Amino acid sequence: MVVASLRDVDDPRRFRMGVHWRRRATPERRFVILAANARPTVLAHELGHFFGLGHSGVDDNVMSYARTGAPVSFDAAQIAKIRSAARGYASSKAFEPA
Ligand SMILES: [Zn+2]
């Protein structure tokens, strides 16, 4: 979902551009939430979390916070993990309506 603005759940004084979030009580229900003014790579980053990726320390990796101005991308291992997770979701029918 896209919202006008997004406050940090742990520190409401801070604003976030996006989050991959789940309630502890219902961890199978997951959400990707974006602030309306988020950069396009924020959606890619949060979807990376949705598909199981953690943060990267490599500059200009989608899962990193460090940018040099170079094109931003996933690496080959991350792409393989996203594909594997997507296949798992598809075969589990996790995206079918309740
Ligand atoms: Zn992140």
Side-chain angles (χ1 to χ4, degrees):
M1 69 183 84
V2 177
V3 296
S5 64
L6 184 61
R7 289 184 189 271
D8 188 300
V9 68
D10 297 318
D11 183 356
R13 295 169 297 176
R14 297 183 67 189
F15 286 88
R16 296 291 183 178
M17 292 290 108
V19 65
H20 166 251
W21 182 77
R22 64 181 106 191
R23 290 180 57 197
R24 288 195 173 101
T26 55
E28 70 281 3
R29 297 190 69 203
R30 297 159 47 175
F31 303 88
V32 171
I33 306 169
L34 295 181
N37 62 341
R39 297 180 313 271
T41 54
V42 174
L43 176 59
H45 179 98
E46 300 309 334
L47 287 172
H49 287 311
F50 183 88
F51 287 108
L53 300 180
H55 287 135
S56 168
V58 177
D59 289 0
D60 301 314
N61 182 282
V62 173
M63 299 311 294
S64 170
Y65 291 122
R67 300 285 183 262
T68 67
V72 175
S73 62
F74 292 107
D75 64 29
Q78 291 169 322
I79 291 169
K81 188 167 185 174
I82 290 168
R83 286 183 173 148
S84 175
R87 285 188 196 102
Y89 291 140
S91 66
S92 74
K93 305 188 184 321
F95 294 138
E96 291 192 1

